[in-house]
Amino acid sequence: QVQLVDSGGGLVQAGGSLRLSCTASGRTFSRYAMGWFRQAPGKEREFVAAISWSGGSTYYGDSVKGRFTISRDNAKNTVYLRMNSLKPEDTAVYYCAAGQILGVMAYQYPYWGQGTQVTVSS
């Protein structure tokens, strides 16, 4: 089992940048694919990005392609989400997640962080 702690959210103006971090407990972090999802008020949870255990494969949601970058540092048990050119519609609670399989569906990730709020002002 792995426990995840999200951090790095905050308030930023449109066009700005943020970097989210997700740190995992345990010694098996490098065995897990990692994902980022987000949920805005009144909306369903949306896939943002995912990365394989090695970092060699990445997936992105259409709405963030070209603006967000997912990366990981297995030595630090941490996955990152660099968010550039932020838009008001990126406002949401962002969650990191861990799973055995690299995928874009929330059900593929059994372990979740507590979430971190990102607010983008216009």
Side-chain angles (χ1 to χ4, degrees):
Q1 190 166 349
V2 61
Q3 294 182 327
L4 306 173
V5 178
D6 307 320
S7 62
L11 174 65
V12 62
Q13 288 188 334
S17 298
L18 280 175
R19 188 181 76 162
L20 306 183
S21 300
C22 173
T23 301
S25 63
R27 294 176 291 179
T28 59
F29 173 76
S30 61
R31 299 180 186 178
Y32 289 94
M34 300 296 296
W36 285 97
F37 292 78
R38 66 187 182 186
Q39 189 165 18
K43 295 188 177 181
E44 294 187 354
R45 192 162 295 192
E46 176 189 13
F47 169 73
V48 175
I51 188 167
S52 62
W53 67 270
S54 67
S57 296
T58 56
Y59 296 155
Y60 293 95
D62 289 340
S63 61
V64 306
K65 280 181 183 176
R67 300 189 297 124
F68 290 12
T69 303
I70 188 170
S71 62
R72 68 189 295 161
D73 185 339
N74 287 341
K76 295 182 178 180
N77 279 13
T78 301
V79 62
Y80 304 98
L81 184 68
R82 177 67 179 182
M83 307 185 294
N84 295 330
S85 303
L86 282 162
K87 305 174 182 179
E89 51 264 44
D90 294 317
T91 295
V93 178
Y94 284 70
Y95 300 88
C96 72
Q100 299 283 353
I101 300 172
L102 180 63
V104 303
M105 305 299 290
Y107 72 82
Q108 295 174 302
Y109 295 87
Y111 306 111
W112 291 80
Q114 81 286 359
T116 184
Q117 176 71 47
V118 171
T119 303
V120 184
S121 63
S122 57

